[in-house]
Amino acid sequence: MYGDTSIQKPIEIAEPTSEEQARLEVIFQQKIDDNIKIEPQEWMPDAYRKTLVRQMSQHAHSEVIGMQPEGNWITRAPSLRRKVILLAKIQDEGGHGLYIYSSAETLGTSRAEMIEQLQTGKAKYSSIFNYPALSWADMGTIGWLVDGAAITNQVALSRCSYGPYSRAMIRICKEESFHQRQGYELLLTLSRGSDEQKELLQESVNRFWWPSLMMFGPNDSDSPHSAQSMKWKIKRKSNDQLRQEFVDATVPQADFLGITLPDPDLKWNEESGHYDYGEIDWEEFGNVIHGNGPCNKQRIANHIKAHEDGAWVREAAAAYAEKQQNKQVA
Amino acid sequence: MADLSKKDALVQYAAQIGDNGLIIGHRMSEWCFRAPTIEMEMALMNSALDLIGQARELYSYAATAQGEGKTEDDFAYLRDEQDFRNALLTEVPNGDWGDTIVRLFLMSVYNKLFFSALADSKDAELAAIGAKSLKEVTYHLRFSSEWMIRLGDGTSESHNRVQKSVDNLWVYTGELFTMTDAENLLLKDGISVDVAALKADWNQNIAQVFEQATLTVPADGWAQLGGKADGVHTEHFGYIIADMQYMQRRYPGCEW
Ligand SMILES: [Fe+2]
Ligand SMILES: [Fe+2]
Ligand SMILES: [Fe+2]
């Protein structure tokens, strides 16, 4: 869902209102077809801009809300080394959020507006972060599966047509791969540990496997308006393509951990050269997207509380900055 | 205490400095996803990383000096509450952003003086840790001083709130300048820092920032002691330990 907004109402594409506009649209599409990046100051169709703002703000919100489940374990990390790794990882995610918010701001929507949309429920974030982080093993599973799924998406997005977003993805992907390796390494340690540690590992993967697959969004047959995003190269691969890439890359890693993935239909298909996997519970997906996941209310309530508790601080900073400004003028 | 060996004193000393870093770092890490802006949150998390990093180096050194094959994690995870010798100032709850900034500021003024003195320790390892930590705490001091000034000289609400934070936390500052037996013993060999001697500079540095922040320095009155000398903590401390040590206590002897 980092790169898929098809669960929301499609943004309407207006017919060109003048010959001049029709001409601009042709030039615009030509650039995209020629793989020339679109930069902020250039002309772009209104719906392209809106689609990007929606997708990028959703991505930024995901980075920020994603700090909550992991933040739930900082104080309980079982070693100082792991504590520091986790802290640094969460900090990276905050950095990703900031970076994507500023890339999105190049399209004319302020961070304050985007945050307002998040808090009022108008903007979404990745459904995965509405699942709770219940055990220490989740800190490894999130790195391995959630960052792993995010990378699959973001590698594709690093070739997207909008320059600032594409560049943000290139930079962020390097850190995400690092997170994924660290997460996997945490799980590897559990897999070589005591029986109880192995149980922690298996139990965590059981909870996160299906929600990770849901991160790629609905089946292609159920996301009819992705076609326009593909044409604009905002989306470079379909949801099902990305999901398949992720499954193919992940199953051998699960084998190496000595765990089972909770899908009886999961098996290698010699003919297609891919893993087949079972049907995703789309009802659960729909529920989580529409506010009924285990943590939806908590995540947004936390965000709003931090925002409101901090109001007097932001006001003080603004008042102080203004005083300094006035002193300089005087 | 008369027969405290130099070795034991060194172990206690390194661990005690580490305790300050770990516990204040722990408190700051509790700000994750709770700060007024992402930028502010990241600055706090950054400082938490530095402070916990300092604790790791100091615990590792304590473990080496002790020579019983222990690790940094034994110090963090397998000691009991009364074994921790952090100053009480580092453990009191975060409160609001103002309380957190005031605590970080009071501690950072101290840390800067402390680590620059420790950088001259006759113990090469402690001197190296002191020099490295000095760079980090200098940044914490700058960050927290800027916020002291913004809050103190921001709105009347922020001024009143931060003054109240200062007034509430002041009682814990006296402990920073008390000397333990280990510190007194190591001082003779030029290994430990004479923290009692840092008080005058500390007062002066505090007063400078407070003036810019239009804040009032409280009078030195009653100083609450306990953590540093005796491991007698506040009621809040047990919860830090319960949280922090939960995994190690629940699953003893595991690699993580
Ligand atoms: Fe990220
Ligand atoms: Fe991401
Ligand atoms: Fe990540």
Side-chain angles (χ1 to χ4, degrees):
Chain A
M1 235 192 69
Y2 277 73
D4 182 72
T5 51
S6 56
I7 42 142
Q8 285 168 281
K9 220 170 79 213
I11 287 165
E12 270 185 51
I13 298 158
E15 289 297 318
T17 52
S18 65
E19 254 178 59
E20 171 61 3
Q21 207 182 344
R23 194 182 64 84
L24 287 170
E25 279 186 21
V26 170
I27 299 172
F28 175 80
Q29 188 60 49
Q30 192 57 51
K31 273 194 215 160
I32 291 192
D33 294 344
D34 294 343
N35 289 322
I36 297 168
K37 297 283 180 221
I38 307 300
E39 296 301 332
Q41 65 285 356
E42 293 170 24
W43 186 89
M44 60 187 84
D46 209 37
Y48 176 86
R49 184 187 300 273
K50 280 188 184 150
T51 306
L52 269 172
V53 170
R54 182 189 274 185
Q55 182 171 322
M56 291 168 76
S57 68
Q58 176 174 301
H59 190 163
H61 297 328
S62 302
E63 302 283 356
V64 171
I65 296 293
M67 295 165 87
Q68 292 190 29
E70 294 185 302
N72 190 36
W73 279 89
I74 297 173
T75 59
R76 290 179 292 170
S79 76
L80 292 178
R81 175 174 163 262
R82 292 288 178 201
K83 190 190 285 285
V84 165
I85 290 174
L86 181 60
L87 260 170
K89 193 235 185 211
I90 296 172
Q91 210 190 17
D92 285 347
E93 306 299 3
H96 298 167
L98 278 183
Y99 196 38
I100 301 169
Y101 279 131
S102 9
S103 305
E105 283 188 317
T106 62
L107 291 162
T109 305
S110 70
R111 200 209 301 185
E113 287 172 83
M114 292 185 263
I115 286 177
E116 158 97 30
Q117 290 175 349
L118 170 69
Q119 295 184 343
T120 55
K122 201 180 158 227
K124 305 283 180 197
Y125 54 88
S126 182
S127 56
I128 192 77
F129 300 120
N130 288 317
Y131 290 87
L134 300 177
S135 89
W136 170 251
D138 292 358
M139 298 302 100
T141 309
I142 289 175
W144 175 43
L145 296 180
V146 177
D147 286 80
I151 295 164
T152 312
N153 241 314
Q154 288 171 180
V155 168
L157 286 174
S158 65
R159 295 186 299 114
C160 98
S161 60
Y162 188 56
Y165 195 30
S166 150
R167 289 187 289 274
M169 287 305 101
I170 292 168
R171 199 171 107 176
I172 288 173
C173 272
K174 287 182 193 149
E175 287 181 355
E176 303 290 19
S177 327
F178 193 59
H179 299 162
Q180 196 205 14
R181 280 203 301 275
Q182 283 174 331
Y184 191 72
E185 192 259 329
L186 189 162
L187 298 181
L188 210 50
T189 309
L190 297 182
S191 77
R192 292 165 180 165
S194 69
D195 287 349
E196 280 189 317
Q197 285 177 299
K198 289 174 193 158
E199 279 165 30
L200 284 176
L201 161 62
Q202 182 66 60
E203 189 275 336
S204 170
V205 172
N206 289 349
R207 276 183 290 111
F208 273 96
W209 174 250
W210 287 108
S212 304
L213 295 191
M214 293 176 197
M215 284 176 72
F216 296 95
N219 285 139
D220 294 351
S221 51
D222 295 318
S223 53
H225 42 275
S226 336
Q228 183 60 52
S229 287
M230 295 280 249
K231 193 178 162 212
W232 277 334
K233 298 186 180 170
I234 288 175
K235 214 173 153 81
R236 301 301 310 252
K237 288 179 180 176
S238 79
N239 295 352
D240 286 331
Q241 257 178 312
L242 290 165
R243 190 162 19 237
Q244 187 68 57
E245 277 181 25
F246 174 71
V247 171
D248 289 346
T250 307
V251 174
Q253 296 168 355
D255 290 343
F256 192 72
L257 286 173
I259 53 169
T260 53
L261 293 170
D263 177 0
D265 297 324
L266 186 72
K267 61 172 184 300
W268 178 249
N269 183 327
E270 200 66 59
E271 217 165 295
S272 67
H274 295 287
Y275 285 92
D276 292 337
Y277 54 92
E279 186 65 25
I280 288 170
D281 183 350
W282 294 114
E283 199 183 310
E284 177 181 323
F285 178 72
N287 269 324
V288 176
I289 290 296
H290 293 110
N292 296 321
C295 300
N296 298 53
K297 291 192 177 65
Q298 172 190 336
R299 299 287 186 242
I300 292 299
N302 282 339
H303 197 278
I304 292 174
K305 183 173 191 309
H307 195 72
E308 285 175 356
D309 287 353
W312 70 276
V313 177
R314 294 189 302 273
E315 277 159 28
Y320 178 75
E322 201 185 307
K323 281 186 200 173
Q324 295 309 103
Q325 191 95 40
N326 292 343
K327 271 186 204 160
Q328 274 178 359
V329 172
Chain B
M1 272 300 161
D3 50 1
L4 180 69
S5 74
K6 277 187 190 172
K7 187 182 100 174
D8 287 349
L10 184 61
V11 174
Q12 272 184 31
Y13 187 55
Q16 163 212 316
I17 308 167
D19 291 344
N20 277 339
L22 180 64
I23 300 305
I24 193 174
H26 181 101
R27 280 303 189 201
M28 287 186 354
S29 76
E30 291 175 342
W31 272 96
C32 180
F33 69 78
R34 292 178 176 91
T37 66
I38 309 173
E39 287 87 346
M40 287 150 82
E41 172 161 325
M42 288 176 68
L44 272 198
M45 305 275 272
N46 228 337
S47 313
L49 272 172
D50 291 338
L51 292 158
I52 297 171
Q54 290 166 11
R56 293 182 68 189
E57 290 185 37
L58 286 153
Y59 288 159
S60 294
Y61 182 50
T64 310
Q66 192 178 39
E68 293 173 12
K70 287 188 180 155
T71 68
E72 57 179 29
D73 286 337
D74 288 297
F75 282 81
Y77 293 98
L78 298 176
R79 287 183 302 155
D80 293 322
E81 285 165 55
Q82 61 275 17
D83 300 327
F84 283 82
R85 296 303 162 95
N86 55 286
L88 298 177
L89 180 63
T90 63
E91 75 188 44
V92 290
N94 282 331
D96 66 13
W97 179 258
D99 298 321
T100 292
I101 287 296
V102 170
R103 182 232 304 269
L104 181 63
F105 170 70
L106 297 173
M107 199 62 202
S108 299
V109 175
Y110 171 85
N111 273 345
K112 189 174 175 195
L113 296 168
F114 176 81
F115 284 118
S116 62
L118 191 69
D120 294 330
S121 169
K122 291 263 160 36
D123 181 294
E125 189 77 23
L126 288 178
I129 293 172
K132 180 168 174 275
S133 305
L134 180 60
K135 289 187 196 131
E136 295 166 342
V137 299
T138 302
Y139 174 77
H140 307 165
L141 178 58
R142 201 176 70 201
F143 170 77
S144 57
S145 301
E146 285 170 2
W147 271 106
M148 288 298 291
I149 295 165
R150 266 188 215 116
L151 296 176
D153 193 18
T155 62
S156 59
E157 185 192 359
S158 69
H159 176 88
N160 293 339
R161 285 176 83 137
V162 79
Q163 181 69 56
K164 207 172 135 204
S165 309
V166 168
D167 296 345
N168 286 338
L169 288 169
W170 198 256
V171 69
Y172 297 111
T173 56
E175 185 179 26
L176 298 171
F177 307 100
T178 57
M179 295 286 285
T180 63
D181 294 335
E183 283 172 315
N184 280 320
L185 184 69
L186 296 171
L187 187 59
K188 290 180 198 145
D189 294 332
I191 290 172
S192 65
V193 174
D194 182 358
V195 290
L198 303 178
K199 182 76 163 68
D201 281 346
W202 186 84
N203 280 334
Q204 207 190 347
N205 294 348
I206 295 278
Q208 271 171 7
V209 173
F210 273 39
E211 199 193 318
Q212 269 186 282
T214 70
L215 292 168
T216 309
V217 181
D220 278 333
W222 167 252
Q224 183 61 51
L225 310 179
K228 183 177 174 181
D230 305 311
V232 177
H233 293 270
T234 63
E235 283 186 350
H236 314 287
F237 190 65
Y239 294 94
I240 293 182
I241 296 303
D243 250 8
M244 186 167 66
Q245 299 185 341
Y246 151 63
M247 289 295 291
Q248 288 272 357
R249 300 292 190 184
R250 167 62 185 81
Y251 304 95
C254 291
E255 286 281 326
W256 296 100

